Amino acid sequence: MAINKSSGGDFILVGFSDQPQLEKILFVLVLISYLLTLVGNTAIILVSCLDSALQTPMYYFLTNLSFVDICFSTSIVPQLLWNLHGPAKTITATGCAIQLYVSLALGSTECVLLAVMAFDRYAAVCRPLHYATVMHPRLCQSLAGVAWLSGVGNTLIQGTITLRLPRCGNHKIYHFICEVPAMIKLACVDIHANEVQLFMASLVLLLLPLTLILVSYGYIAQALMRLRSALTWGKALGTCGSHLIVVVLFYGTSTAVYIHPNSSYAQSQGKFITLLYTVVIPTLNPLIYTLRNKDVKGALKRLVRKDSSTGKKILSR
């Protein structure tokens, strides 16, 4: 399939253009996944805000995560759908820069936010009597603020350095997204320093939060081993299990791309791995949290009953 040449300073997102039949299948799957992402994460935000029983630190952070997922998908998927649907594979230089900055900021924010959520679970399981004191609203807001600021800080540094690299007219990006590992390959200068800098940033924003998550769950496992209550184990697995599944999915895929961006595995399978953490995981997050969480399912049922009873009252008037 021929790819339209870029006009002026536009970039060409090669994406999956060498597999036109796959593009048609991906268009349908990505569209369905994006709609589910919007509906599922919006539902979690609304339920957490409207149901007083869910106005706790855990759901405050979950609301932040859902908002990040909505914005993260929106920064990538509309452009991906446009490129999958038609012959035009271009994105303007401004659009590429915006996508790079926004998606990197939100992805970095999610890395830190997942670590914050692990700390919240540690406080809930290991310090249950002091949980309300430890996780007071001001600390929750500060921790969420740290997550957002770290994302913004990382994207300002990484994005700016990447976009300032000389490209000598190279505009063909062998990816479906303007992402740092793909963008630095366009440079016509030695990029070893950039690769080292990307690796160091990935260590800080991927492996450091992941280490904190593992330490938190190590303490949680120790606390649970001392308790022999099946009820306590069930409650802990209900709240921690969902978070662990999300952690494994998100960190497993993003680490494969960012820690070894020049490995043969990252180059050959990178587009499909990126599809997982940019399109699939934001769709799965609300499903994982709602299907495994009795509180969220109960809140949804209460809101549905409230809406139906309100509707009946209006009709009876």
Side-chain angles (χ1 to χ4, degrees):
M1 180 179 179
I3 302 173
N4 287 1
K5 293 184 177 181
S6 65
S7 57
D10 291 357
F11 289 97
I12 300 170
L13 292 170
V14 174
F16 305 93
S17 56
D18 57 336
Q19 300 168 282
Q21 293 304 315
L22 178 62
E23 280 191 319
K24 296 176 183 177
I25 298 171
L26 283 177
F27 178 83
V28 176
L29 294 177
V30 170
L31 178 60
I32 293 172
S33 183
Y34 181 54
L35 293 176
L36 289 174
T37 296
L38 295 179
V39 172
N41 285 290
T42 301
I44 284 182
I45 293 172
L46 291 175
V47 168
S48 300
C49 293
L50 296 176
D51 194 294
S52 58
L54 298 185
Q55 291 176 7
T56 62
M58 175 183 173
Y59 295 102
Y60 171 74
F61 296 128
L62 183 55
T63 299
N64 274 266
L65 180 64
S66 293
F67 182 69
V68 167
D69 281 341
I70 289 173
C71 297
F72 188 43
S73 290
T74 302
S75 70
I76 296 166
V77 174
Q79 178 68 44
L80 172 59
L81 289 172
W82 176 261
N83 289 353
L84 288 172
H85 185 259
K89 308 295 180 187
T90 57
I91 181 172
T92 63
T94 302
C96 189
I98 291 172
Q99 186 180 73
L100 177 69
Y101 276 120
V102 174
S103 62
L104 182 58
L106 294 167
S108 303
T109 299
E110 183 157 348
C111 289
V112 181
L113 194 56
L114 288 171
V116 170
M117 294 173 76
F119 174 72
D120 173 66
R121 292 301 83 210
Y122 158 78
V125 176
C126 300
R127 298 287 185 271
L129 298 179
H130 305 285
Y131 179 69
T133 305
V134 174
M135 300 303 296
H136 54 84
R138 186 172 295 177
L139 177 63
C140 292
Q141 292 167 5
S142 299
L143 290 173
V146 168
W148 283 97
L149 286 174
S150 62
V152 171
N154 182 53
T155 198
L156 287 176
I157 296 170
Q158 290 285 336
T160 303
I161 291 174
T162 301
L163 292 173
R164 286 175 65 88
L165 285 170
R167 291 184 291 272
C168 303
N170 295 327
H171 288 90
K172 188 179 287 188
I173 303 171
Y174 289 92
H175 213 308
F176 64 84
I177 175 180
C178 294
E179 194 174 40
V180 173
M183 292 289 290
I184 62 176
K185 290 182 175 66
L186 300 181
C188 55
V189 294
D190 182 17
I191 58 171
H192 177 69
N194 297 86
E195 291 170 350
V196 171
Q197 193 250 345
L198 175 61
F199 178 74
M200 296 304 295
S202 300
L203 285 180
V204 174
L205 281 162
L206 279 171
L207 295 190
L208 180 58
L210 181 58
T211 301
L212 295 175
I213 291 169
L214 294 176
V215 170
S216 296
Y217 276 103
Y219 281 113
I220 289 172
Q222 284 183 345
L224 291 176
M225 292 299 290
R226 290 195 294 267
L227 300 171
R228 302 188 182 276
S229 169
L231 179 63
T232 304
W233 268 91
K235 288 179 67 176
L237 288 175
T239 57
C240 299
S242 301
H243 181 253
L244 270 175
I245 293 171
V246 172
V247 166
V248 170
L249 290 172
F250 182 79
Y251 280 97
T253 52
S254 54
T255 299
V257 172
Y258 277 87
I259 295 298
H260 297 292
N262 278 330
S263 68
S264 59
Y265 178 75
Q267 290 183 30
S268 61
Q269 304 297 328
K271 289 182 287 188
F272 295 98
I273 298 172
T274 305
L275 265 180
L276 288 176
Y277 70 79
T278 58
V279 178
V280 178
I281 292 176
T283 305
L284 293 178
N285 282 354
L287 292 175
I288 292 169
Y289 278 105
T290 53
L291 292 177
R292 293 180 55 86
N293 195 304
K294 293 180 181 179
D295 293 337
V296 176
K297 287 189 284 188
L300 283 169
K301 289 176 183 177
R302 286 193 294 272
L303 286 177
V304 170
R305 287 198 208 102
K306 188 184 294 184
D307 288 341
S308 61
S309 62
T310 303
K312 288 176 182 177
K313 287 179 183 178
I314 293 173
L315 289 172
S316 63
R317 287 176 181 176

